[in-house]
Amino acid sequence: MQNESDYIMRQIKAFAEGLGYMLSKNKNNTDTEIVFHMDEPLLPHQFELQQLIDKKQYAAAAKRLLSLRYAISETDFFKLGVWFYDTLNQRSDTELQQNNYSRAAIVAGLKQLQELQDGGDR
């Protein structure tokens, strides 16, 4: 493997195995694996939308998303839209309804994104 010949990768692997050993306190476990989560950089306006979602202002967040259509690149807008609707889709129907939003609005938003992606009147 290429990682085995790379000095830095070997050092990281050794560090991870040592840390795993210390955390598990199991001397017989040699297959310890630690995965470091690498956060992807935020999309433009993602933090702003996340704040609205955290405040459970779903309709306001959806309206803000649509207002960004021409403010950012088409690719970023599409990625942001997919992230946004995926995030809302993880909420329960009850939570959505309590905050004046619906599963049908999520589906409609995704269809609108798909139409923009397919036909793109931009």
Side-chain angles (χ1 to χ4, degrees), residues 69 74 77-78 82 109-122:
R69 181 172 176 203
E74 188 174 336
F77 178 75
F78 183 74
V82 169
L110 286 170
K111 284 182 181 178
Q112 187 176 13
L113 278 178
Q114 184 63 43
E115 288 170 5
L116 292 173
Q117 181 78 10
D118 291 343
D121 57 337
R122 270 184 99 165

Side-chain angles (χ1 to χ4, degrees), residues 44-59:
H45 304 280
Q46 185 175 356
F47 181 75
E48 175 188 358
L49 292 176
Q50 184 64 58
Q51 287 181 315
L52 290 170
I53 292 170
D54 291 344
K55 293 177 185 175
K56 301 184 186 307
Q57 297 176 354
Y58 306 142

Side-chain angles (χ1 to χ4, degrees), residues 94-108:
T94 305
E95 183 179 345
L96 291 170
Q97 289 172 357
Q98 288 173 347
N99 296 288
N100 301 318
Y101 212 73
S102 68
R103 190 87 44 213
I106 294 171
V107 171

Side-chain angles (χ1 to χ4, degrees), residues 61-114:
K63 185 176 180 181
R64 178 63 179 140
L65 172 66
L66 293 177
S67 74
L68 297 170
R69 181 172 176 203
Y70 297 107
I72 59 178
S73 74
E74 188 174 336
T75 302
D76 282 346
F77 178 75
F78 183 74
K79 287 179 184 178
L80 187 63
V82 169
W83 167 83
F84 174 74
Y85 290 116
D86 179 57
T87 302
L88 288 186
N89 196 40
Q90 294 175 24
R91 306 296 192 261
S92 69
D93 288 335
T94 305
E95 183 179 345
L96 291 170
Q97 289 172 357
Q98 288 173 347
N99 296 288
N100 301 318
Y101 212 73
S102 68
R103 190 87 44 213
I106 294 171
V107 171
L110 286 170
K111 284 182 181 178
Q112 187 176 13
L113 278 178
Q114 184 63 43

